[in-house]
Amino acid sequence: MISASGTIPFQRLGYYSTKTEALAGIQGERLPDWYNITLSEVFERWKAQAWPKLAEKSQEMYSGAWKKLSPLAARKMREIRTADYQEIIDGLDGKSRSLKNQVRVLCSQLCKWAQVNEIISRNYAEELNVGKSATKEKEIFTAEERKIIAKAAACDAAARIVMILIYSGLRINELFSIRKSDVHLDSQTPHMIGGEKTEAGRNRTIPIALPVLAHVRALMQEPGEYLVSNTQGGKKSYHNFREREYYPLLERLKLPKRTLHTTRHTFASMMVEAGARPEDLQKIMGHADYSVTANIYNHANAEQLTRAIRLLG
């Protein structure tokens, strides 16, 4: 309505704490819903945009990291600060530095999304600290535990696979990727060709140790394209093997629950104890960086180191 003087009378639309809020109010947006959006709602909106662009492993990583942020899920995004995120990360002490970093990355992604959408003014995850990586002694299967697994391998398919991993140093996915055409049992030195991850790791020669030669021969007689095939003759699933066969095997044998990568650490430890040269171990395990192999020797005792060094003359 225009006044007698020809001016439009002032009309108060409301009170707003920010310019963004005021503009949204003028434009008739449902500001309270957006203004009070929770971290959980931000995650779901970010996820809807990010998921189609992410690999399955990345999706699993972010999903795991999100579970750690559950104490903040119902909090309003605009109220969460660096200290809140840091408290979550600090609460993960005893967990791996990798997990802490995954949580940090997710916090940063959510803050960036909220910043772009003008929910927060800056990225409060930029200064998060995951701490230094602590040197941790790598777990291995002891000699006694290896005897238990070896005995079970005579009639247990899962134990047979674990034995091959322990005596080859292969990563689990590397073993499951080896085709029967890559296995050479009739040569003077029985070996497999395989590997992945790095240039040094791919298409490398993996000698077949005598304690598992019979197991490899037996697998070669089974149907399927791969040395270790699934029930349909195709490539075996790492996840299914771990959950349905490996962990149940450890439980049946009353052995401590350890990761599948423990088999690779065990192989390295056995090779060091036997006096293997670092450069030979580097080639067998497919390490691109010599320092990675050298670090294995940090876990050997002085007697083992002396024995290995004497082999070099």
Side-chain angles (χ1 to χ4, degrees):
M1 180 177 178
I2 302 177
S3 68
S5 62
T7 61
I8 300 175
F10 175 78
Q11 182 181 2
R12 191 181 301 279
L13 297 178
Y15 294 93
Y16 304 97
S17 58
T18 65
K19 180 181 178 181
T20 301
E21 184 178 348
L23 289 173
I26 292 171
Q27 295 167 4
E29 295 180 12
R30 295 185 63 197
L31 181 65
D33 291 346
W34 189 255
Y35 183 63
N36 293 318
I37 190 170
T38 65
L39 182 65
S40 178
E41 291 169 329
V42 168
F43 174 73
E44 292 302 327
R45 289 171 184 262
W46 168 82
K47 179 179 176 181
Q49 294 178 2
W51 238 236
K53 305 173 187 176
L54 295 174
E56 185 177 349
K57 284 188 177 181
S58 296
Q59 293 176 0
E60 291 176 358
M61 182 271 284
Y62 281 121
S63 294
W66 172 245
K67 291 178 182 178
K68 304 304 178 184
L69 288 173
S70 59
L72 299 177
R75 291 272 303 275
K76 295 174 183 177
M77 184 73 190
R78 61 183 170 82
E79 295 178 348
I80 304 175
R81 296 294 183 264
T82 303
D84 299 307
Y85 296 121
Q86 188 65 59
E87 186 176 0
I88 295 293
I89 292 175
D90 291 345
L92 296 174
D93 279 350
K95 302 294 184 180
S96 70
R97 189 172 186 271
S98 175
L99 175 60
K100 292 181 180 180
N101 194 54
Q102 289 168 10
V103 174
R104 181 193 65 79
V105 171
L106 177 58
C107 290
S108 183
Q109 290 294 322
L110 297 181
C111 283
K112 286 178 181 177
W113 187 93
Q115 192 176 8
V116 168
N117 288 279
E118 300 184 337
I119 298 169
I120 56 177
S121 59
R122 69 183 183 87
N123 188 334
Y124 291 103
E126 285 181 338
E127 298 178 4
L128 291 176
N129 180 17
V130 297
K132 294 182 179 179
S133 179
T135 301
K136 184 180 179 182
E137 190 75 15
K138 292 179 172 62
E139 286 188 318
I140 65 168
F141 287 107
T142 66
E144 186 59 37
E145 290 169 345
R146 295 197 296 270
K147 288 179 182 178
I148 294 172
I149 297 170
K151 183 177 180 180
C155 57
D156 190 297
R160 183 168 58 188
I161 292 172
V162 173
M163 281 290 290
I164 294 174
L165 290 169
I166 288 175
Y167 280 89
S168 67
L170 284 164
R171 301 174 180 90
I172 183 67
N173 280 329
E174 289 179 333
L175 176 60
F176 288 171
S177 296
I178 291 179
R179 290 176 165 81
K180 289 180 177 176
S181 58
D182 295 321
V183 180
H184 305 278
L185 296 177
D186 296 329
S187 66
Q188 189 172 357
T189 54
H191 64 278
M192 301 177 279
I193 302 295
E196 54 182 29
K197 196 169 184 180
T198 65
E199 188 61 37
R202 286 188 285 272
N203 297 321
R204 67 183 190 270
T205 299
I206 302 109
I208 301 174
L210 290 176
V212 295
L213 184 57
H215 296 317
V216 175
R217 289 189 185 280
L219 286 172
M220 289 292 285
Q221 301 305 311
E222 294 184 0
E225 176 185 358
Y226 293 87
L227 177 63
V228 181
S229 298
N230 59 24
T231 53
Q232 288 77 42
K235 188 174 181 180
K236 198 173 185 70
S237 163
Y238 157 76
H239 180 269
N240 288 346
F241 174 74
R242 183 187 64 188
E243 300 299 326
R244 301 175 186 176
E245 299 180 60
Y246 175 66
Y247 286 149
L249 170 70
L250 297 184
E251 190 173 347
R252 286 197 304 276
L253 300 181
K254 295 181 171 53
L255 297 177
K257 187 175 181 178
R258 298 196 178 108
T259 68
L260 269 166
H261 210 65
T262 302
T263 59
R264 191 164 155 87
H265 295 321
T266 303
F267 171 78
S269 177
M270 290 164 57
M271 289 289 284
V272 171
E273 189 173 355
R277 299 188 310 164
E279 55 267 41
D280 292 337
L281 186 54
Q282 180 185 12
K283 290 178 181 178
I284 293 172
M285 298 192 73
H287 289 153
D289 187 346
Y290 181 86
S291 65
V292 175
T293 306
N295 284 340
I296 293 169
Y297 281 74
N298 291 336
H299 301 284
N301 60 38
E303 182 181 351
Q304 292 169 346
L305 283 173
T306 301
R307 192 162 61 240
I309 291 298
R310 284 176 180 170
L311 289 175
L312 302 178

